[in-house]
Amino acid sequence: MRQRNLMVMKNLIRQLPITVSTRWRDARNMIIESPQFKADKSLQAIEDVDILDIYDDYSKLLIREHSE
């Protein structure tokens, strides 16, 4: 279940309007308020630390793309 949730979260986070300047608190709010997250009871069981790790990886990617 955890692996499934990690994959779903990675896909979800890429669909949200998260930019280089988006702070963690704002990104977390976008995630938990998204219709996909609200509709998926299994995904709601994901740990905040897992969401933070995925956000951190995604933000590093955005920073690399922005600097190029």
Side-chain angles (χ1 to χ4, degrees), residues 8-67:
V8 171
M9 183 57 63
K10 286 178 186 178
N11 290 331
L12 172 60
I13 207 166
R14 286 179 170 82
Q15 297 172 13
L16 298 173
I18 295 174
T19 65
V20 174
S21 61
T22 304
R23 296 179 187 249
W24 160 241
R25 183 180 325 168
D26 297 329
R28 183 181 178 282
N29 286 339
M30 282 186 227
I31 293 165
I32 64 174
E33 293 298 321
S34 70
Q36 184 177 353
F37 185 84
K38 287 182 174 183
D40 191 332
K41 295 295 182 192
S42 298
L43 186 59
Q44 292 173 19
I46 194 170
E47 299 286 333
D48 272 349
V49 69
D50 288 334
I51 299 172
L52 178 59
D53 285 342
I54 293 167
Y55 167 77
D56 188 47
D57 290 343
Y58 185 61
S59 68
K60 287 176 184 175
L61 173 68
L62 291 175
I63 290 169
R64 272 192 305 249
E65 289 175 353
H66 181 73
S67 62

